[in-house]
Amino acid sequence: MVEGILLIISGPSGVGKGTVCRKLLQLKKTLKLSVSTTTRSPRPGEEDGIEYHFTTASDFKKMIDNDYFLEWAVVHDHYYGTRRDLVKRILASGQDLILEIDIQGAEQVRKQVPEAISIFLAPPSMEALEERIIGRGTEEPDRIAGRMATARQEMQAYELYDYIVINDLVEDAANLIDSIIDAEKCKVSRGARPPGGGGDSK
Ligand code: 5GP
């Protein structure tokens, strides 16, 4: 069986990774979204095992020591990580999997899984990103400048990615990623073959 594709979707904080991934999952029913482990508290409506596996910092650290994570990072003072065993199981079953993770995590996955496809989600402009961060309403006004400074730094990571997708309209961004996945599936290097396996070799 051909292994599933591992898709990394990353980009600066506030760019709308979560929204684009949700749209993409509606478009492509065969895609799965990896459920990360985190030490942050659940937000209203979030359920353990659905949005995240919620855990304590001490348990998270034990999991790091036991090499449970394919990647992990501290994002906004909380630990986030992707469990190696869950990723392996899903890919081995032939399903394609999205990792919606921050820039630091994306770098770790790229090093360990060179065949993963990495997509850098970028805002249409830095002004638009600032408006989104303010509009989200989760930041104290005095922390906005700090968030923007981090975002500017994160934007520089784009060169390390396979693809850049601009998130202006969520629907367009999700459609573009959908097409990227379709194109990757046609690659001979990924196991695509003509009907009958390519004829005889005479
Ligand atoms: P939130 O707490 O708003 O759901 O996510 C905060 C940030 O953590 C987002 O940028 C998200 O992409 C990132 N994130 C979520 N899960 C993981 C993970 O498993 N690993 C890493 N490195 N980042 C993650």
Side-chain angles (χ1 to χ4, degrees):
M1 181 193 291
V2 177
E3 268 218 341
I5 292 177
L6 186 61
L7 196 75
I8 305 167
I9 299 192
S10 195
S13 159
V15 75
K17 299 186 281 283
T19 321
V20 170
C21 285
R22 278 194 295 278
K23 189 83 215 165
L24 184 60
L25 290 170
Q26 285 171 7
L27 294 175
K28 241 188 176 37
K29 300 286 183 205
T30 53
L31 259 185
K32 282 207 100 163
L33 179 65
S34 162
V35 179
S36 298
T37 303
T38 185
T39 59
R40 84 147 160 76
S41 310
R43 296 183 183 132
E46 285 184 339
E47 269 181 64
D48 188 36
I50 305 292
E51 284 80 11
Y52 283 104
H53 298 288
F54 296 98
T55 190
T56 60
S58 77
D59 280 351
F60 197 101
K61 285 177 193 161
K62 275 185 215 147
M63 291 167 88
I64 296 174
D65 292 343
N66 289 320
D67 198 28
Y68 265 40
F69 294 114
L70 174 64
E71 63 76 33
W72 65 272
V74 177
V75 185
H76 314 321
D77 305 329
H78 297 292
Y79 287 92
Y80 292 84
T82 305
R83 270 180 49 186
R84 213 182 272 287
D85 56 336
L86 302 183
V87 170
K88 259 195 186 157
R89 200 178 59 215
I90 293 170
L91 294 180
S93 75
Q95 269 191 306
D96 302 328
L97 182 68
I98 307 179
L99 305 182
E100 189 253 273
I101 56 180
D102 88 313
I103 300 275
Q104 312 164 66
E107 203 170 326
Q108 297 170 46
V109 178
R110 237 192 332 262
K111 281 187 186 142
Q112 294 183 69
V113 191
E115 66 276 19
I117 305 168
S118 56
I119 297 181
F120 185 88
L121 203 60
S125 67
M126 290 313 281
E127 291 74 29
L129 184 66
E130 186 164 8
E131 274 167 29
R132 279 178 201 175
I133 291 176
I134 294 170
R136 211 159 52 165
T138 51
E139 286 312 307
E140 300 295 328
D142 58 344
R143 290 188 57 172
I144 303 277
R147 276 293 160 96
M148 284 306 295
T150 308
R152 263 185 219 100
Q153 220 169 21
E154 289 175 328
M155 285 295 290
Q156 292 171 12
Y158 79 89
E159 288 179 321
L160 304 169
Y161 287 70
D162 296 314
Y163 297 94
I164 294 180
V165 169
I166 301 197
N167 183 22
D168 192 355
L169 295 176
V170 172
E171 185 118 18
D172 290 350
N175 275 320
L176 201 49
I177 298 174
D178 190 8
S179 308
I180 290 171
I181 298 170
D182 288 345
E184 288 286 336
K185 290 222 168 256
C186 297
K187 276 190 175 167
V188 174
S189 58
R190 278 198 186 272
R193 296 288 178 270
D200 61 35
S201 52
K202 268 189 274 177

